[in-house]
Amino acid sequence: MSAVLLLDGIGPEAEPILTEAGLRVVDAKRGFGEDLNALLAFIGSNFQSNELRAICLRSSTKLKTTEAMVALREVGVELIVRFGTGTDNIDLKAAAANGIVVENTPGQNATSVAEKAMLCAGLLCHNINLPIAAQASIRVVQALANKVVPLISS
């Protein structure tokens, strides 16, 4: 049976869809950053030889080296799916050179991005003092400050 590894907290929504498609799903419930050794150790302890066919990740896990792609190909990975728009955390040339297909899912998080933008805009309009960590998130909507933003509600 082919298997899929879910990283970076993708989890509950994807798992039933992949299982229904006949794949064994292992959810790591975390990312591995740039720690290739930890990722390979996790793979080694959770998958049989050449069982793992695909890795699904967000932005936390970094697969930015030729070494990473060679190692993943050696354990059977044929596909890396980046849940989100960008692929800057994946070395595309090294993946292609090792026969690993890389795909992404642009637009799938558009609703979440819009909701966050509107929340930040509302906070800006009310001059709510945000913690420093949250202030980075509102840079996206700072252009909306002192502007009239039409809201349509049902």
Side-chain angles (χ1 to χ4, degrees):
M1 174 183 278
S2 294
V4 177
L5 173 58
L6 303 180
L7 299 175
D8 303 336
I10 290 173
E13 300 82 18
E15 193 167 343
I17 295 167
L18 296 168
T19 302
E20 191 174 301
L23 300 167
R24 186 170 86 81
V25 178
V26 174
D27 184 356
K29 299 188 186 336
R30 69 183 199 94
F32 288 88
E34 295 183 21
D35 192 346
L36 179 60
N37 290 331
L39 174 59
L40 293 174
F42 183 87
I43 290 170
S45 65
N46 287 279
F47 297 94
Q48 296 176 13
S49 179
N50 289 316
E51 177 188 23
L52 180 61
R53 293 287 178 252
I55 294 177
C56 300
L57 52 83
R58 288 194 175 124
S59 60
S60 175
T61 300
K62 313 291 186 216
L63 303 173
K64 297 171 75 170
T65 65
T66 299
E67 177 189 10
M69 294 305 158
V70 168
L72 291 175
R73 189 64 187 130
E74 286 176 355
V75 297
V77 174
E78 299 171 348
L79 173 67
I80 298 172
V81 179
R82 164 67 163 89
F83 279 34
T85 301
T87 55
D88 58 332
N89 58 323
I90 303 166
D91 185 333
L92 299 176
K93 288 182 182 177
N98 286 282
I100 299 174
V101 175
V102 177
E103 297 289 341
N104 64 353
T105 58
Q108 294 303 307
N109 61 346
T111 300
S112 295
V113 170
E115 290 169 350
K116 186 172 186 178
M118 293 310 296
L119 172 65
C120 290
L123 294 173
L124 283 171
C125 291
H126 291 286
N127 293 321
I128 295 174
N129 189 6
L130 301 174
I132 292 172
Q135 289 178 9
S137 298
I138 66 170
R139 288 189 184 123
V140 175
V141 295
Q142 282 182 336
L144 296 175
N146 299 320
K147 303 256 192 290
V148 174
V149 179
L151 297 178
I152 301 170
S153 177
S154 56

